[in-house]
Amino acid sequence: MPSPARLKGRTAVVTGGSRGIGRAISRRLADEGALVAVHYGHDHAAAERTVTEIESAGGRAFAVHAELGVPGDAATLWEAFDRRLAEHADGTGLDILVNNAGITLPRPIEDVTEQDYDRVFAVNTKAPFFIVQQSLGRLRDGGRIVNISSGATRIAYPAIVAYSMTKAALDHLALSLARQLGPRGITVNTVAPGFTETEINPTLRDPQVRSALAAASVFGRLGTPADIADVVAFLADDDARWVTGQCIDATGGVHLGL
């Protein structure tokens, strides 16, 4: 069981923090003692449900709304964060930023339109870039930035080529920022999930698909959101103070050696 004191006194933002992997990350950081801003883009009910779950378990959280992939999205997110954080007696600054929000684009290159391309890059790459940019004045020295990438950046999946490109950009963002922010004691890392079972992945309802994807892992199973959240929690903690500029493969060994 996590110690409730490890992240006590720290404030975290998790984009896309109301469902799937983001929800597990929000809950895990709150279990460790952090005050968590659960960001959502469209599903207000899911965000409030996640906040309620955290509070029912003895944690602290609040919801923050900002649609990503539209002009001014980063500014909207941080304005909402500042406003809600001020409601808390100890609400100052930022310690942990997890860029988790993203959309998929399951189409090969022949079927990707310019509109598709612009949309997936706007949400998955542009939004995190400017969210990070505008976080730097809020992020305290010794802070943590964790970007959620994908195992698809090291494995060729032509059927999701544009999506994979957006995540590869996040990998490099972490590398460059780690060099820049090191003097402030801020670590910047990326976590790359593999095939992960979430309620928002309809393809996993097909037993044959589930079986094939589970077989791709050396453990013979699908990942769970908690598998990813545990890695993020490690990177957010002081134990990971000497880890920066890294992409942590959290695919469960998908396609190792191929």
Side-chain angles (χ1 to χ4, degrees):
M1 293 293 292
S3 166
R6 291 167 68 94
L7 298 179
K8 186 176 181 180
R10 301 184 195 181
T11 301
V13 171
V14 181
T15 69
S18 66
R19 299 191 300 167
I21 291 173
R23 172 174 168 265
I25 294 170
S26 295
R27 294 186 61 173
R28 182 69 161 85
L29 296 180
D31 285 346
E32 297 275 9
L35 169 62
V36 180
V38 178
H39 161 264
Y40 70 99
H42 300 283
D43 196 338
H44 174 77
E48 290 299 331
R49 188 160 53 246
T50 300
V51 169
T52 298
E53 290 171 351
I54 288 172
E55 292 177 339
S56 296
R60 300 190 304 151
F62 56 89
V64 172
H65 174 254
E67 181 181 355
L68 302 186
V70 299
D73 50 6
T76 299
L77 185 151
W78 289 118
E79 287 167 5
F81 170 78
D82 291 342
R83 185 170 59 253
R84 293 300 311 274
L85 185 63
E87 298 171 5
H88 295 262
D90 56 348
T92 60
L94 174 69
D95 301 284
I96 302 161
L97 170 60
V98 182
N99 282 304
N100 165 76
I103 60 174
T104 60
L105 184 60
R107 298 178 188 173
I109 190 169
E110 297 88 348
D111 298 331
V112 175
T113 67
E114 287 191 35
Q115 184 177 11
D116 292 333
Y117 183 94
D118 289 345
R119 174 64 178 161
V120 74
F121 268 84
V123 175
N124 293 6
T125 306
K126 183 179 179 180
F129 182 94
F130 286 101
I131 288 170
V132 169
Q133 180 197 69
Q134 296 179 31
S135 77
L136 297 182
R138 297 171 172 85
L139 193 62
R140 285 189 270 255
D141 290 355
R144 302 285 186 263
I145 298 174
V146 182
N147 299 320
I148 305 301
S149 179
S150 171
T153 63
R154 73 164 172 85
I155 304 166
Y157 285 114
I160 55 171
V161 58
Y163 167 82
S164 301
M165 289 170 64
T166 68
K167 294 300 187 177
L170 288 186
D171 293 352
H172 188 82
L173 177 63
L175 187 64
S176 292
L177 286 176
R179 178 71 178 266
Q180 177 180 341
L181 300 178
R184 293 181 55 191
I186 296 170
T187 67
V188 189
N189 293 288
T190 302
V191 175
F195 303 121
T196 307
E197 185 163 17
T198 69
E199 71 274 14
I200 56 179
N201 190 344
T203 63
L204 296 180
R205 297 171 189 158
D206 184 328
Q208 290 185 324
V209 172
R210 289 177 59 87
S211 178
L213 297 183
S217 164
V218 298
F219 299 116
R221 69 170 176 86
L222 296 171
T224 69
D227 291 327
I228 312 306
D230 287 349
V231 178
V232 174
F234 163 70
L235 292 173
D237 185 56
D238 288 341
D239 286 351
R241 63 192 175 277
W242 205 236
V243 179
T244 195
Q246 302 303 304
C247 180
I248 309 300
D249 186 295
T251 65
V254 165
H255 295 325
L256 281 182
L258 298 182

